[in-house]
Amino acid sequence: MNYEKFRTKYRNILVTGGAGFIGGALIERLLKFTTSKIYNLDYMGYASDLSRINLLRESSLRHILLKTDLSNKNSVYDAIKESSPDLILHLAAESHVDRSIDNPDIFINSNIIGTYNLLEAAKDFWRNIPDLKKQNFKFHHVSTDEVFGSLPDNGKFNESTPYDPRSPYSASKAASDHLVKAWNYTYNLPIILTNCSNNYGPYQFPEKLIPLIISKLIARESIPIYGDGNNIRDWLYVEDHVDGILLCCNEGIPGQNYCIGGYGESTNNDIVSTICDIFDQKSNIKKSSRKLISYVKDRPGHDRRYSINSNFISKQLNWHPNYSLEKGLELTVDWYLNNQEWCHKVVKRANYKGERLGTN
Ligand code: TYD
């Protein structure tokens, strides 16, 4: 990754959702490896947390939090005006499928209306900036492979897979992707779109599968596997995802979409068992924690399989993941074992007690 090139192009960066899991990893990287000013637009919702950014000493100088709700159009215009961005990295989204089943409203507002407001504010800003800044400007929209629907036992998603979302969450992300593409096609706004597979790693809010399992293991509570546990996800370590996003901003072609997968396909059964074994080894537990696994009622509309073919981004931008699933899981289990206070803090603030969500 050529950070020198990045630094010269993007001095002011507006990151939306920078207090979230992927956004936090991205901002940490930007603060460590660039000299850019980072404006972090985040509404500081239930899963937002700034611990990771606050650990970096330079954060107070180059990191500016703009506590803004994307569904408020005037505030979004104000945020763009204040940050005068060379690059917008749009990561803000409600992202938990189970919560989208219980309460789709929030997903429609944040993911669809929020993206629309940001696109409009970005377009109006971009049209009125000097030529050089206009040439370099990019709007990078971070999305998910879930917009492509569910795969059978074979095949993989790629850049030309048709959209077929099935949950309120994936439908809201698909809608936002369509808006982003339309603003590129109709108004020439220089957008880049990435669709990633399931992210995991440190600082993920413990409602998603991997941190939830680790939290349950630490608490010695039963581990809920939905349905028969043979659903497949393609796990991507968050740092590899950050590499992909930055490469796309540096070298990507405006108007292009890129798929970023982790080469980490696993059934839920396999990943849960592996995490139990890593946990037992690290915590010196003699009786296998696998006995905590329990099969619970399936998620409504549970997608069977996701898998990404990452050949395009590998060939075009020389992106390759650095973390195997085994290595990533080990690092993640270690991190949660050593950061239980962080977990307690964030779940308490969100009033989340590890209960089952999304059964409506
Ligand atoms: P999740 O982390 O919610 O991501 P997504 O649904 O966006 O892929 O879930 C990953 C997989 O794990 C998915 O197949 C649902 C399953 N799952 C469980 O079996 N038990 C759980 O408690 C959770 C949260 C998820």
Side-chain angles (χ1 to χ4, degrees):
M1 169 69 193
N2 184 344
Y3 285 106
E4 199 53 49
K5 185 171 172 189
F6 193 94
R7 268 194 289 268
T8 49
K9 275 205 288 195
Y10 306 127
R11 298 232 288 276
N12 290 346
I13 303 176
L14 178 66
V15 179
T16 74
F21 162 53
I22 304 170
L26 180 64
I27 289 185
E28 178 179 309
R29 188 78 70 83
L30 291 171
L31 288 171
K32 279 185 174 164
F33 290 92
T34 75
T35 48
S36 315
K37 236 179 172 175
I38 314 297
Y39 293 85
N40 181 357
L41 187 163
D42 200 293
Y43 87 124
M44 299 306 290
Y46 79 95
S48 300
D49 180 68
L50 293 171
S51 308
R52 181 172 198 161
I53 296 167
N54 289 338
L55 279 175
L56 302 167
R57 272 189 298 134
E58 69 265 54
S59 64
S60 54
L61 302 171
R62 289 195 291 119
H63 170 256
I64 298 119
L65 177 68
L66 304 173
K67 193 170 178 298
T68 302
D69 187 339
L70 280 177
S71 61
N72 181 331
K73 198 166 189 172
N74 288 338
S75 310
V76 179
Y77 270 79
D78 289 345
I80 297 260
K81 194 170 167 206
E82 184 176 345
S83 55
S84 184
D86 303 301
L87 170 67
I88 297 176
L89 291 161
H90 179 34
L91 289 93
E94 295 296 328
S95 67
H96 192 34
V97 174
D98 290 333
R99 285 186 193 264
S100 83
I101 295 167
D102 291 334
N103 202 349
D105 263 37
I106 306 164
F107 288 72
I108 305 302
N109 277 324
S110 295
N111 301 356
I112 306 179
I113 307 293
T115 300
Y116 163 69
N117 288 340
L118 188 65
L119 282 166
E120 276 293 87
K123 180 194 76 185
D124 290 348
F125 168 78
W126 171 74
R127 281 183 165 171
N128 292 302
I129 50 178
D131 277 355
L132 183 63
K133 189 166 164 114
K134 198 181 258 168
Q135 277 161 28
N136 279 334
F137 181 88
K138 285 204 188 67
F139 183 115
H140 185 129
H141 178 62
V142 174
S143 191
T144 165
D145 60 357
E146 302 191 26
V147 297
F148 302 127
S150 182
L151 287 166
D153 291 346
N154 50 25
K156 285 176 186 290
F157 302 132
N158 63 33
E159 285 69 15
S160 43
T161 304
Y163 278 46
D164 184 21
R166 286 134 187 264
S167 73
Y169 161 65
S170 54
S172 70
K173 286 299 286 183
S176 71
D177 289 10
H178 289 315
L179 290 174
V180 165
K181 287 180 189 178
W183 261 242
N184 170 252
Y185 197 80
T186 307
Y187 305 111
N188 287 323
L189 189 68
I191 66 101
I192 289 186
L193 167 60
T194 47
N195 296 94
C196 67
S197 57
N198 284 63
N199 279 229
Y200 71 103
Y203 292 103
Q204 188 171 31
F205 187 80
E207 63 185 353
K208 299 284 175 79
L209 181 70
I210 290 179
L212 183 85
I213 297 166
I214 304 171
S215 303
K216 298 278 183 196
L217 280 166
I218 292 170
R220 309 311 290 159
E221 289 173 4
S222 95
I223 297 166
I225 294 188
Y226 299 168
D228 65 7
N230 286 322
N231 303 70
I232 291 175
R233 297 294 183 264
D234 178 0
W235 295 98
L236 171 66
Y237 194 65
V238 65
E239 296 300 329
D240 285 330
H241 185 196
V242 168
D243 285 346
I245 294 172
L246 296 180
L247 271 174
C248 287
C249 296
N250 234 4
E251 321 279 352
I253 302 160
Q256 179 65 53
N257 58 319
Y258 297 87
C259 285
I260 311 176
Y263 296 96
E265 265 194 67
S266 173
T267 64
N268 294 339
N269 283 325
D270 283 346
I271 205 153
V272 171
S273 302
T274 306
I275 293 171
C276 287
D277 297 349
I278 297 173
F279 181 88
D280 289 350
Q281 194 205 338
K282 295 204 177 280
S283 340
N284 248 326
I285 288 179
K286 297 280 172 307
K287 263 194 174 165
S288 173
S289 290
R290 291 186 186 202
K291 67 176 187 305
L292 293 174
I293 294 172
S294 80
Y295 288 87
V296 299
K297 193 164 175 262
D298 209 351
R299 169 189 281 172
H302 195 176
D303 285 339
R304 195 66 175 169
R305 176 169 169 259
Y306 306 141
S307 178
I308 282 187
N309 175 342
S310 303
N311 285 348
F312 184 69
I313 188 170
S314 294
K315 284 209 184 96
Q316 296 292 313
L317 307 182
N318 201 19
W319 174 84
H320 301 282
N322 288 312
Y323 296 85
S324 65
L325 183 55
E326 295 70 31
K327 186 171 163 197
L329 284 178
E330 238 193 277
L331 290 172
T332 306
V333 172
D334 263 340
W335 189 86
Y336 279 92
L337 278 170
N338 293 321
N339 290 277
Q340 293 181 42
E341 263 176 38
W342 178 86
C343 285
H344 293 145
K345 182 179 79 179
V346 296
V347 295
K348 192 168 170 216
R349 186 167 56 205
N351 196 22
Y352 177 61
K353 299 185 176 66
E355 66 273 22
R356 173 79 194 268
L357 301 168
T359 48
N360 249 340

PDB file of all heavy atoms in Angstrom, residues 217 220-221 223 275-277 279-280 285-293:
ATOM      1  N   LEU A 217     -18.455 -17.991  26.062  1.00  0.00           N
ATOM      2  CA  LEU A 217     -17.459 -18.917  26.599  1.00  0.00           C
ATOM      3  C   LEU A 217     -16.859 -18.377  27.897  1.00  0.00           C
ATOM      4  O   LEU A 217     -16.684 -19.118  28.869  1.00  0.00           O
ATOM      5  CB  LEU A 217     -16.334 -19.137  25.574  1.00  0.00           C
ATOM      6  CG  LEU A 217     -16.648 -20.122  24.445  1.00  0.00           C
ATOM      7  CD1 LEU A 217     -15.627 -19.993  23.323  1.00  0.00           C
ATOM      8  CD2 LEU A 217     -16.678 -21.545  24.972  1.00  0.00           C
ATOM      9  N   ARG A 220     -19.245 -18.770  30.574  1.00  0.00           N
ATOM     10  CA  ARG A 220     -19.655 -20.180  30.690  1.00  0.00           C
ATOM     11  C   ARG A 220     -21.163 -20.333  30.494  1.00  0.00           C
ATOM     12  O   ARG A 220     -21.835 -21.084  31.221  1.00  0.00           O
ATOM     13  CB  ARG A 220     -19.209 -20.811  32.032  1.00  0.00           C
ATOM     14  CG  ARG A 220     -17.765 -20.640  32.390  1.00  0.00           C
ATOM     15  CD  ARG A 220     -16.801 -20.990  31.293  1.00  0.00           C
ATOM     16  NE  ARG A 220     -16.696 -22.409  30.962  1.00  0.00           N
ATOM     17  CZ  ARG A 220     -16.226 -22.856  29.785  1.00  0.00           C
ATOM     18  NH1 ARG A 220     -15.827 -22.018  28.842  1.00  0.00           N
ATOM     19  NH2 ARG A 220     -16.155 -24.143  29.556  1.00  0.00           N
ATOM     20  N   GLU A 221     -21.686 -19.598  29.520  1.00  0.00           N
ATOM     21  CA  GLU A 221     -23.114 -19.697  29.190  1.00  0.00           C
ATOM     22  C   GLU A 221     -23.297 -20.506  27.911  1.00  0.00           C
ATOM     23  O   GLU A 221     -22.345 -20.674  27.146  1.00  0.00           O
ATOM     24  CB  GLU A 221     -23.697 -18.288  28.980  1.00  0.00           C
ATOM     25  CG  GLU A 221     -23.820 -17.496  30.263  1.00  0.00           C
ATOM     26  CD  GLU A 221     -24.235 -16.057  30.006  1.00  0.00           C
ATOM     27  OE1 GLU A 221     -24.500 -15.698  28.844  1.00  0.00           O
ATOM     28  OE2 GLU A 221     -24.261 -15.293  30.987  1.00  0.00           O
ATOM     29  N   ILE A 223     -24.008 -21.635  24.167  1.00  0.00           N
ATOM     30  CA  ILE A 223     -23.686 -20.987  22.889  1.00  0.00           C
ATOM     31  C   ILE A 223     -24.781 -21.321  21.882  1.00  0.00           C
ATOM     32  O   ILE A 223     -24.938 -22.488  21.507  1.00  0.00           O
ATOM     33  CB  ILE A 223     -22.332 -21.503  22.367  1.00  0.00           C
ATOM     34  CG1 ILE A 223     -21.210 -21.122  23.338  1.00  0.00           C
ATOM     35  CG2 ILE A 223     -22.053 -20.990  20.967  1.00  0.00           C
ATOM     36  CD1 ILE A 223     -19.927 -21.877  23.076  1.00  0.00           C
ATOM     37  N   ILE A 275     -13.482 -22.164  17.689  1.00  0.00           N
ATOM     38  CA  ILE A 275     -13.317 -21.126  18.720  1.00  0.00           C
ATOM     39  C   ILE A 275     -13.332 -21.754  20.116  1.00  0.00           C
ATOM     40  O   ILE A 275     -12.533 -21.386  20.983  1.00  0.00           O
ATOM     41  CB  ILE A 275     -14.407 -20.031  18.573  1.00  0.00           C
ATOM     42  CG1 ILE A 275     -14.175 -19.258  17.268  1.00  0.00           C
ATOM     43  CG2 ILE A 275     -14.393 -19.074  19.754  1.00  0.00           C
ATOM     44  CD1 ILE A 275     -15.284 -18.307  16.875  1.00  0.00           C
ATOM     45  N   CYS A 276     -14.205 -22.737  20.322  1.00  0.00           N
ATOM     46  CA  CYS A 276     -14.221 -23.433  21.620  1.00  0.00           C
ATOM     47  C   CYS A 276     -12.843 -24.041  21.910  1.00  0.00           C
ATOM     48  O   CYS A 276     -12.311 -23.912  23.024  1.00  0.00           O
ATOM     49  CB  CYS A 276     -15.255 -24.562  21.614  1.00  0.00           C
ATOM     50  SG  CYS A 276     -16.954 -23.982  21.692  1.00  0.00           S
ATOM     51  N   ASP A 277     -12.256 -24.681  20.890  1.00  0.00           N
ATOM     52  CA  ASP A 277     -10.974 -25.364  21.098  1.00  0.00           C
ATOM     53  C   ASP A 277      -9.849 -24.357  21.374  1.00  0.00           C
ATOM     54  O   ASP A 277      -9.009 -24.573  22.248  1.00  0.00           O
ATOM     55  CB  ASP A 277     -10.629 -26.239  19.882  1.00  0.00           C
ATOM     56  CG  ASP A 277     -11.654 -27.356  19.693  1.00  0.00           C
ATOM     57  OD1 ASP A 277     -12.479 -27.568  20.609  1.00  0.00           O
ATOM     58  OD2 ASP A 277     -11.644 -27.998  18.620  1.00  0.00           O
ATOM     59  N   PHE A 279     -10.206 -21.419  22.623  1.00  0.00           N
ATOM     60  CA  PHE A 279     -10.498 -20.855  23.943  1.00  0.00           C
ATOM     61  C   PHE A 279     -10.010 -21.808  25.048  1.00  0.00           C
ATOM     62  O   PHE A 279      -9.359 -21.387  26.010  1.00  0.00           O
ATOM     63  CB  PHE A 279     -12.005 -20.607  24.073  1.00  0.00           C
ATOM     64  CG  PHE A 279     -12.409 -20.010  25.390  1.00  0.00           C
ATOM     65  CD1 PHE A 279     -12.416 -18.634  25.569  1.00  0.00           C
ATOM     66  CD2 PHE A 279     -12.763 -20.821  26.460  1.00  0.00           C
ATOM     67  CE1 PHE A 279     -12.777 -18.077  26.792  1.00  0.00           C
ATOM     68  CE2 PHE A 279     -13.124 -20.269  27.684  1.00  0.00           C
ATOM     69  CZ  PHE A 279     -13.137 -18.901  27.842  1.00  0.00           C
ATOM     70  N   ASP A 280     -10.307 -23.101  24.901  1.00  0.00           N
ATOM     71  CA  ASP A 280      -9.916 -24.078  25.926  1.00  0.00           C
ATOM     72  C   ASP A 280      -8.405 -24.139  26.068  1.00  0.00           C
ATOM     73  O   ASP A 280      -7.871 -24.192  27.179  1.00  0.00           O
ATOM     74  CB  ASP A 280     -10.444 -25.482  25.553  1.00  0.00           C
ATOM     75  CG  ASP A 280     -11.953 -25.555  25.698  1.00  0.00           C
ATOM     76  OD1 ASP A 280     -12.538 -24.601  26.248  1.00  0.00           O
ATOM     77  OD2 ASP A 280     -12.547 -26.558  25.249  1.00  0.00           O
ATOM     78  N   ILE A 285      -8.630 -24.921  29.911  1.00  0.00           N
ATOM     79  CA  ILE A 285      -9.853 -25.616  30.334  1.00  0.00           C
ATOM     80  C   ILE A 285      -9.766 -27.061  29.864  1.00  0.00           C
ATOM     81  O   ILE A 285      -9.461 -27.330  28.698  1.00  0.00           O
ATOM     82  CB  ILE A 285     -11.099 -24.883  29.782  1.00  0.00           C
ATOM     83  CG1 ILE A 285     -11.255 -23.585  30.568  1.00  0.00           C
ATOM     84  CG2 ILE A 285     -12.352 -25.745  29.867  1.00  0.00           C
ATOM     85  CD1 ILE A 285     -12.403 -22.721  30.155  1.00  0.00           C
ATOM     86  N   LYS A 286      -9.962 -27.998  30.781  1.00  0.00           N
ATOM     87  CA  LYS A 286      -9.738 -29.418  30.462  1.00  0.00           C
ATOM     88  C   LYS A 286     -10.958 -30.061  29.771  1.00  0.00           C
ATOM     89  O   LYS A 286     -10.822 -30.757  28.778  1.00  0.00           O
ATOM     90  CB  LYS A 286      -9.403 -30.199  31.745  1.00  0.00           C
ATOM     91  CG  LYS A 286      -8.099 -29.735  32.412  1.00  0.00           C
ATOM     92  CD  LYS A 286      -6.878 -30.338  31.705  1.00  0.00           C
ATOM     93  CE  LYS A 286      -5.547 -29.769  32.176  1.00  0.00           C
ATOM     94  NZ  LYS A 286      -5.351 -28.343  32.171  1.00  0.00           N
ATOM     95  N   LYS A 287     -12.150 -29.806  30.294  1.00  0.00           N
ATOM     96  CA  LYS A 287     -13.358 -30.404  29.684  1.00  0.00           C
ATOM     97  C   LYS A 287     -13.795 -29.534  28.520  1.00  0.00           C
ATOM     98  O   LYS A 287     -13.996 -28.335  28.701  1.00  0.00           O
ATOM     99  CB  LYS A 287     -14.476 -30.466  30.714  1.00  0.00           C
ATOM    100  CG  LYS A 287     -14.602 -31.811  31.396  1.00  0.00           C
ATOM    101  CD  LYS A 287     -15.922 -31.878  32.139  1.00  0.00           C
ATOM    102  CE  LYS A 287     -16.181 -33.250  32.711  1.00  0.00           C
ATOM    103  NZ  LYS A 287     -17.263 -33.201  33.697  1.00  0.00           N
ATOM    104  N   SER A 288     -13.947 -30.128  27.337  1.00  0.00           N
ATOM    105  CA  SER A 288     -14.205 -29.327  26.137  1.00  0.00           C
ATOM    106  C   SER A 288     -15.398 -28.384  26.293  1.00  0.00           C
ATOM    107  O   SER A 288     -16.492 -28.788  26.709  1.00  0.00           O
ATOM    108  CB  SER A 288     -14.446 -30.263  24.956  1.00  0.00           C
ATOM    109  OG  SER A 288     -14.858 -29.470  23.865  1.00  0.00           O
ATOM    110  N   SER A 289     -15.189 -27.126  25.932  1.00  0.00           N
ATOM    111  CA  SER A 289     -16.279 -26.138  25.978  1.00  0.00           C
ATOM    112  C   SER A 289     -17.326 -26.407  24.917  1.00  0.00           C
ATOM    113  O   SER A 289     -18.377 -25.762  24.919  1.00  0.00           O
ATOM    114  CB  SER A 289     -15.723 -24.725  25.772  1.00  0.00           C
ATOM    115  OG  SER A 289     -14.981 -24.335  26.883  1.00  0.00           O
ATOM    116  N   ARG A 290     -17.047 -27.333  24.008  1.00  0.00           N
ATOM    117  CA  ARG A 290     -18.053 -27.657  22.981  1.00  0.00           C
ATOM    118  C   ARG A 290     -19.367 -28.109  23.616  1.00  0.00           C
ATOM    119  O   ARG A 290     -20.413 -28.064  22.986  1.00  0.00           O
ATOM    120  CB  ARG A 290     -17.531 -28.756  22.061  1.00  0.00           C
ATOM    121  CG  ARG A 290     -16.379 -28.312  21.176  1.00  0.00           C
ATOM    122  CD  ARG A 290     -16.055 -29.422  20.212  1.00  0.00           C
ATOM    123  NE  ARG A 290     -14.876 -29.145  19.413  1.00  0.00           N
ATOM    124  CZ  ARG A 290     -14.632 -29.737  18.252  1.00  0.00           C
ATOM    125  NH1 ARG A 290     -15.478 -30.620  17.769  1.00  0.00           N
ATOM    126  NH2 ARG A 290     -13.535 -29.460  17.573  1.00  0.00           N
ATOM    127  N   LYS A 291     -19.261 -28.576  24.876  1.00  0.00           N
ATOM    128  CA  LYS A 291     -20.494 -29.037  25.534  1.00  0.00           C
ATOM    129  C   LYS A 291     -21.461 -27.871  25.794  1.00  0.00           C
ATOM    130  O   LYS A 291     -22.644 -28.093  26.075  1.00  0.00           O
ATOM    131  CB  LYS A 291     -20.174 -29.782  26.832  1.00  0.00           C
ATOM    132  CG  LYS A 291     -19.579 -28.916  27.937  1.00  0.00           C
ATOM    133  CD  LYS A 291     -19.381 -29.731  29.211  1.00  0.00           C
ATOM    134  CE  LYS A 291     -18.959 -28.888  30.403  1.00  0.00           C
ATOM    135  NZ  LYS A 291     -17.771 -28.063  30.227  1.00  0.00           N
ATOM    136  N   LEU A 292     -20.980 -26.635  25.667  1.00  0.00           N
ATOM    137  CA  LEU A 292     -21.862 -25.473  25.869  1.00  0.00           C
ATOM    138  C   LEU A 292     -22.735 -25.177  24.637  1.00  0.00           C
ATOM    139  O   LEU A 292     -23.669 -24.384  24.701  1.00  0.00           O
ATOM    140  CB  LEU A 292     -21.039 -24.216  26.193  1.00  0.00           C
ATOM    141  CG  LEU A 292     -20.291 -24.198  27.534  1.00  0.00           C
ATOM    142  CD1 LEU A 292     -19.412 -22.967  27.633  1.00  0.00           C
ATOM    143  CD2 LEU A 292     -21.283 -24.226  28.701  1.00  0.00           C
ATOM    144  N   ILE A 293     -22.395 -25.817  23.507  1.00  0.00           N
ATOM    145  CA  ILE A 293     -23.140 -25.542  22.267  1.00  0.00           C
ATOM    146  C   ILE A 293     -24.582 -26.048  22.382  1.00  0.00           C
ATOM    147  O   ILE A 293     -24.814 -27.175  22.819  1.00  0.00           O
ATOM    148  CB  ILE A 293     -22.456 -26.235  21.058  1.00  0.00           C
ATOM    149  CG1 ILE A 293     -21.076 -25.609  20.805  1.00  0.00           C
ATOM    150  CG2 ILE A 293     -23.337 -26.170  19.814  1.00  0.00           C
ATOM    151  CD1 ILE A 293     -20.224 -26.336  19.775  1.00  0.00           C
TER     152      ILE A 293
END
